[in-house]
Amino acid sequence: MAVHRSGPLKQQNKAHKGGRHRGRGSAQRDGKGRLALKTLSKKVRKDLSKVDQRHRASQLRRQKKEAVLAEKRQLGSKDGPPHQILVVPLHNRISLPEVFRLLQDRDTGTVHLNEWGSTHSFMLLCPRLKHRWFFTSARPGDLHTVLDMAKVADTILFLLDPLEGWDSTGDYCLSCLFAQGLPTYTLAVQGVSGFPLKKQTDVRKKLSKAVEKRFPDDKLLLLDTQQEAGMLLRQLANQKQRHLAFRDRHAYLFAHAADFVPSEENNLVGTLKISGYVRGQALNVNSLLHIIGHGDFQMKQIDAPMDPFPLNPRVIKSPKDPGMAMEICATDAVADMEEDLKVLMKADPDRQESLQTEVIPDPMEGEQTWPTEEELSEANDLLKESSKVVKKVPKGTSSYQAEWILDEDGESGGEGDEYDDIEHEDFMEEESQDEGSEKEEEEECETVTIGESVRDDLYDEKVDEEAEGKMLEKYKQERLEEMFPDEVDTPRDVAARIRLVNKSKINQFQKYRGLKSFRTSPWDPKENLPQDYARIFQFQNFINTRRRIFKEIEEKEVEGAEVGWYVTLHVSEVPVSVVEHFKRGAPLIAFSLLPHEQKMSVLNMVVSRHPGNTEPVKAKEQLIFHCGFRRFRASPLFSQHTAADKHKFQRFLTADLALVVTVYAPITFPPASVMLFKQNSNGMHSLIATGHLLSVDPDRMVIKRVVLSGHPFKIFTKMAVVRYMFFNRGTHGHMKCSFDGKLKSQDTVLMNLYKRVFPKWTYDPYVPEPVPWVKSEISSTVPEMDME
């Protein structure tokens, strides 16, 4: 009987490997309840059913909704601070007194007028709506007032013109406010009722379309009658609040009243008493206080007087003059405040934050020093001695020719690198292949000592320097259109290695170095630090410190004045100019500082060029900074915004990409908005860049690059003599170079040199008041609508 035999194409299955593997159940039994390390390091997440998941999501939504409602109820209530409204007219045709007349309706509530200088404000108390508002105003041309009051305002009320919306001054004001960060805002239009009834709808439609660029999804409210003013107040009271990150973690206060008590030793310095409502966070007397535009100060004590503007005041009506009710109410409040004054908290010297901003360096430490002139000259002499090489060369060979002859290990004794065997034939005769002629060659050779000074003095004495200079100018003109970035010229009358202090136009290359790779080559961030680095503070881990401070703000209860309390702060060692500035009409705004925020360090900010400014801005040029709630002057460095450990220095603020600005400034914890201004010759401040705070990191390395260019003079495939890169008395700057590829006569030789640069210590916390911004001849960005 025939037996079937499988062919070579039969499928061969693997045999079952029993016993080598085990299932999940057997593994759990053998483990006896032990868990893997990865599982133990994380929280055990329970798998919720779909019903539980929906229930949990519903709870989270309910909690968020309750938090929003609680915030609405507290703002402007009897237990919370008044709802502060900043009114900003965006066009010069808007009548601000008419708007205030509509809002000061006695049928709505009680009005308390307050006026100092050019800033008008009033308090509106409405028991029927259980709300109180504090209205202030600022003109768009007064830049500092608008920006400072926007930092503490709960809502900004923008007043628009029915035809143009805003003019050029209003457009510039909006650009600054958007860059700083807008709180809650509302748009109102004044003057629509002046148009015919049939045209009013078209006016509103065209205006809504025109303002879509700035406010895409916002509604326009009318403000021409008392009824429309009442609707506006309800909108302001029920509006959801937007938060600004840089102020939510600080306690801040807008001064309703200020008093100055001079000290006994000096009348120019004394104690400043600031009265106002606490906002943001609870205020501790041991923390430092920053008064915008004036600096950092310490507090001595906090008083808790009676609230001068209660929601349900005791009003004595006068039958003759109904306006007398407000005056009597205010007088009674002041009298009660003096009688019921309570000291809430006094400063503890052991727990109070210090005003120290800089580290006092110890000159005896000598951690980092730069070599002296004697040490440099001694090192130069040693370098010359070590550069002398003894080698065997054929008889009659000059010292210059000996430089091009390779040793047995394939290296030249001079500045050049390795050459090919073919290139050797251009400089020396071929070696004999006969082993018997070795002794004859040794007799024909002689020993030559090559020194640097000999090589420099004897090289090509007949070179025409005038012709060389003319040729150099031709090559410069040929390459003018290219303008290779970072390219500089080597000084012709001074050696490039000599550092000149008095001639700023000549580049000194003594501190520069070459890098094989700018991205991967190592560079120690603690190397050759300037003396100013001994004055600053640095965190061991800035991110962890920031996270810890923010967590304490959220979880730890602060002892002091709670949010919504009306308090009086006693600020010590304040110059009298602060209260004089306040009496002239400028707002007085104070922010409490978090730990370490008074100390100096290196701040890095990411900024982008503002499209409205096209003037060139050079690095190390003095600029005006608005960083969070601070305002100061400094001379920054510009560098590329990359993820590497080294960042290339930029000489100008470019318009096509974001750059990092580096300055010495007080520590500020991000997030915080950043604006850069430049003071013009007429005193006005021009917005040149906007961005945000990146980090506080002195170890961020900004590397400056210079590119030296030369032209090949003699080319030998991968080797060439390059001129015009250096200028030396002996060799006229001609040097031998080797390349990893073939060189052509039209090629240009470039050498990259690098050094680390640091910002200048030009920090100045006092910024002069800018000249009010005036409307230019340029038309508004919102086109005027033809209603004929």
Side-chain angles (χ1 to χ4, degrees):
M1 186 177 74
V3 179
H4 173 72
R5 296 179 179 178
S6 60
L9 300 180
K10 181 184 177 182
Q11 179 178 351
Q12 299 291 336
N13 296 327
K14 287 185 178 181
H16 177 67
K17 300 177 181 180
R20 295 188 181 183
H21 300 279
R22 57 180 179 173
R24 183 171 55 182
S26 62
Q28 291 177 354
R29 286 192 299 271
D30 296 342
K32 296 181 180 179
R34 292 190 296 267
L35 298 177
L37 180 62
K38 185 176 180 181
T39 309
L40 285 173
S41 61
K42 295 183 179 180
K43 294 182 180 179
V44 179
R45 299 182 60 184
K46 296 181 179 179
D47 296 333
L48 301 178
S49 62
K50 291 185 177 180
V51 177
D52 294 337
Q53 290 178 3
R54 286 195 296 267
H55 182 62
R56 185 179 181 182
S58 176
Q59 287 180 334
L60 293 177
R61 287 196 302 268
R62 190 182 303 109
Q63 290 176 1
K64 291 182 180 180
K65 185 177 180 180
E66 290 176 355
V68 172
L69 292 177
E71 184 181 8
K72 285 183 179 180
R73 295 189 185 104
Q74 184 184 16
L75 183 61
S77 65
K78 62 177 182 178
D79 298 327
H83 192 160
Q84 187 162 339
I85 310 294
L86 174 61
V87 183
V88 181
L90 296 179
H91 202 282
N92 58 356
R93 288 200 294 258
I94 295 175
S95 175
L96 191 59
E98 179 64 19
V99 173
F100 275 20
R101 185 189 65 81
L102 294 175
L103 294 174
Q104 295 173 3
D105 185 13
R106 292 187 176 89
D107 296 335
T108 304
T110 307
V111 179
H112 296 273
L113 299 177
N114 188 8
E115 181 177 347
W116 59 84
S118 59
T119 303
H120 301 273
S121 63
F122 66 93
M123 186 77 69
L124 178 61
L125 307 177
C126 183
R128 179 169 54 86
L129 297 177
K130 298 181 181 180
H131 208 87
R132 53 179 177 172
W133 294 271
F134 178 61
F135 285 89
T136 60
S137 63
R139 287 288 178 181
D142 194 354
L143 184 62
H144 280 184
T145 301
V146 172
L147 294 179
D148 291 346
M149 297 185 72
K151 291 180 175 73
V152 297
D154 298 314
T155 304
I156 299 181
L157 176 59
F158 292 114
L159 302 179
L160 306 180
D161 182 74
L163 292 179
E164 297 183 1
W166 52 76
D167 53 15
S168 59
T169 306
D171 182 70
Y172 178 74
C173 176
L174 287 176
S175 299
C176 298
L177 289 175
F178 271 94
Q180 178 177 265
L182 272 181
T184 308
Y185 62 88
T186 302
L187 306 179
V189 185
Q190 183 192 44
V192 177
S193 61
F195 291 90
L197 189 60
K198 296 181 179 180
K199 298 288 185 180
Q200 292 182 8
T201 305
D202 295 337
V203 169
R204 295 180 61 180
K205 287 183 179 179
K206 291 183 179 180
L207 181 60
S208 299
K209 187 177 181 180
V211 300
E212 282 184 354
K213 179 181 178 182
R214 292 280 192 182
F215 309 99
D217 300 323
D218 296 302
K219 296 181 180 180
L220 299 177
L221 301 179
L222 302 181
L223 188 56
D224 291 324
T225 62
Q226 294 287 354
Q227 183 180 2
E228 293 171 349
M231 295 177 60
L232 176 62
L233 290 176
R234 291 185 180 89
Q235 169 69 16
L236 296 175
N238 299 324
Q239 202 170 12
K240 182 180 178 181
Q241 294 297 310
R242 300 174 61 182
H243 296 274
L244 296 180
F246 70 87
R247 76 179 186 186
D248 286 345
R249 295 184 176 92
H250 296 79
Y252 57 96
L253 179 143
F254 179 85
H256 290 262
D259 188 19
F260 182 78
V261 179
S263 62
E264 297 179 357
E265 296 82 6
N266 189 359
N267 294 331
L268 299 179
V269 179
T271 301
L272 179 64
K273 298 180 181 180
I274 306 174
S275 299
Y277 294 92
V278 179
R279 301 172 184 269
Q281 298 288 335
L283 179 60
N284 192 304
V285 71
N286 294 318
S287 62
L288 297 180
L289 200 68
H290 175 79
I291 300 178
I292 296 181
H294 301 283
D296 302 337
F297 304 95
Q298 288 181 333
M299 292 181 286
K300 294 194 299 185
Q301 72 179 39
I302 300 178
D303 298 337
M306 288 188 59
D307 192 343
F309 308 107
L311 188 58
N312 298 308
R314 293 175 297 171
V315 179
I316 302 176
K317 296 184 179 181
S318 174
K320 297 182 179 179
D321 188 2
M324 186 65 66
M326 296 180 293
E327 183 177 355
I328 294 175
C329 177
T331 305
D332 291 343
V334 173
D336 293 341
M337 181 176 60
E338 294 177 355
E339 294 176 359
D340 300 336
L341 185 63
K342 298 179 181 179
V343 177
L344 182 64
M345 195 176 184
K346 287 189 176 183
D348 185 0
D350 297 333
R351 300 174 57 188
Q352 194 171 28
E353 290 283 345
S354 173
L355 283 173
Q356 182 183 1
T357 60
E358 304 175 13
V359 178
I360 301 177
D362 187 2
M364 301 303 295
E365 289 183 357
E367 295 179 356
Q368 297 180 8
T369 58
W370 184 253
T372 61
E373 296 295 336
E374 292 78 7
E375 293 174 343
L376 290 175
S377 60
E378 183 180 352
N380 193 18
D381 295 338
L382 293 175
L383 182 62
K384 289 182 179 180
E385 292 295 333
S386 62
S387 64
K388 295 181 180 180
V389 181
V390 179
K391 58 169 59 178
K392 289 184 178 181
V393 295
K395 286 186 177 180
T397 303
S398 64
S399 59
Y400 170 71
Q401 292 173 338
E403 283 290 322
W404 297 84
I405 298 178
L406 299 179
D407 294 332
E408 294 180 0
D409 55 357
E411 293 185 356
S412 167
E415 298 177 355
D417 296 325
E418 299 181 358
Y419 307 123
D420 296 330
D421 294 336
I422 300 176
E423 296 168 349
H424 297 170
E425 298 175 359
D426 297 330
F427 298 92
M428 58 182 296
E429 297 179 356
E430 295 181 356
E431 296 181 354
S432 175
Q433 302 294 331
D434 188 7
E435 296 180 356
S437 61
E438 291 181 357
K439 296 183 179 179
E440 297 179 0
E441 288 186 359
E442 291 180 358
E443 296 177 355
E444 295 177 356
C445 293
E446 60 181 359
T447 302
V448 178
T449 301
I450 305 170
E452 186 180 356
S453 59
V454 176
R455 181 170 67 249
D456 294 346
D457 296 337
L458 301 180
Y459 176 77
D460 203 357
E461 297 178 351
K462 298 182 180 181
V463 174
D464 189 357
E465 294 184 0
E466 184 177 358
E468 292 280 328
K470 291 182 180 180
M471 187 64 65
L472 173 62
E473 294 297 328
K474 289 182 180 179
Y475 281 116
K476 283 185 178 181
Q477 293 176 3
E478 184 180 3
R479 298 183 61 253
L480 276 178
E481 294 183 0
E482 296 181 359
M483 295 297 292
F484 193 84
D486 304 325
E487 186 173 345
V488 297
D489 294 330
T490 309
R492 300 186 61 182
D493 54 343
V494 180
R497 65 178 179 272
I498 298 178
R499 185 171 183 264
L500 300 179
V501 179
N502 297 328
K503 297 183 179 181
S504 59
K505 294 184 179 180
I506 299 179
N507 293 275
Q508 297 85 32
F509 309 120
Q510 187 180 27
K511 293 186 178 181
Y512 286 84
R513 70 183 71 176
L515 295 178
K516 185 176 181 180
S517 172
F518 182 78
R519 184 179 62 87
T520 60
S521 296
W523 197 309
D524 187 5
K526 305 296 185 183
E527 175 186 356
N528 294 333
L529 298 179
Q531 190 66 26
D532 289 336
Y533 263 52
R535 303 164 57 185
I536 64 174
F537 291 85
Q538 182 177 5
F539 295 98
Q540 186 175 4
N541 192 320
F542 175 74
I543 297 178
N544 288 348
T545 304
R546 171 179 171 270
R547 186 183 296 115
R548 176 181 57 82
I549 293 176
F550 286 1
K551 187 176 181 180
E552 290 179 356
I553 295 174
E554 296 175 357
E555 298 179 356
K556 187 177 179 181
E557 294 183 1
V558 179
E559 298 179 359
E562 297 293 335
V563 176
W565 290 6
Y566 186 84
V567 297
T568 299
L569 309 180
H570 294 249
V571 189
S572 58
E573 300 298 327
V574 179
V576 69
S577 58
V578 177
V579 71
E580 292 177 352
H581 195 66
F582 174 73
K583 291 180 179 179
R584 289 197 299 266
L588 183 59
I589 299 171
F591 274 82
S592 67
L593 297 182
L594 299 179
H596 313 296
E597 282 195 330
Q598 79 279 12
K599 301 174 182 177
M600 295 291 293
S601 188
V602 178
L603 269 63
N604 303 303
M605 315 168 188
V606 180
V607 298
S608 300
R609 189 68 182 266
H610 187 259
N613 188 282
T614 57
E615 296 182 3
V617 180
K618 194 175 182 180
K620 299 182 181 180
E621 184 177 351
Q622 190 180 69
L623 301 176
I624 298 172
F625 287 76
H626 289 242
C627 180
F629 54 84
R630 288 189 182 271
R631 184 169 63 234
F632 57 88
R633 291 187 293 179
S635 301
L637 293 180
F638 301 143
S639 60
Q640 293 180 350
H641 183 32
T642 59
D645 60 339
K646 296 182 289 294
H647 311 272
K648 182 177 169 296
F649 171 77
Q650 295 290 327
R651 289 173 171 81
F652 290 90
L653 183 63
T654 56
D656 53 346
L657 74 162
L659 297 181
V660 176
V661 175
T662 303
V663 292
Y664 290 114
I667 294 172
T668 302
F669 293 102
S673 59
V674 173
M675 292 185 293
L676 271 64
F677 292 87
K678 184 178 180 181
Q679 186 170 359
N680 302 330
S681 57
N682 57 2
M684 299 173 61
H685 293 180
S686 299
L687 180 63
I688 61 173
T690 60
H692 64 276
L693 180 62
L694 177 63
S695 64
V696 180
D697 185 13
D699 288 341
R700 187 181 186 275
M701 293 185 292
V702 180
I703 307 300
K704 182 179 181 181
R705 182 185 72 172
V706 296
V707 180
L708 305 181
S709 61
H711 189 77
F713 180 54
K714 295 178 182 179
I715 301 176
F716 304 98
T717 313
K718 294 185 179 181
M719 178 184 61
V721 178
V722 179
R723 59 179 176 178
Y724 304 142
M725 185 174 290
F726 298 102
F727 300 91
N728 215 348
R729 182 177 59 84
T731 63
H732 301 280
H734 293 191
M735 65 176 183
K736 302 176 292 296
C737 302
S738 62
F739 304 89
D740 57 357
K742 294 184 179 180
L743 199 67
K744 299 180 180 179
S745 59
Q746 65 269 22
D747 291 337
T748 301
V749 180
L750 300 177
M751 177 187 293
N752 294 337
L753 298 177
Y754 304 92
K755 80 168 182 179
R756 185 179 178 184
V757 291
F758 302 90
K760 293 183 179 180
W761 193 287
T762 57
Y763 172 78
D764 186 5
Y766 305 103
V767 179
E769 291 291 331
V771 175
W773 186 274
V774 295
K775 182 178 178 180
S776 61
E777 296 180 358
I778 304 176
S779 61
S780 172
T781 55
V782 180
E784 183 176 356
M785 296 174 290
D786 187 7
M787 299 306 302
E788 295 182 359

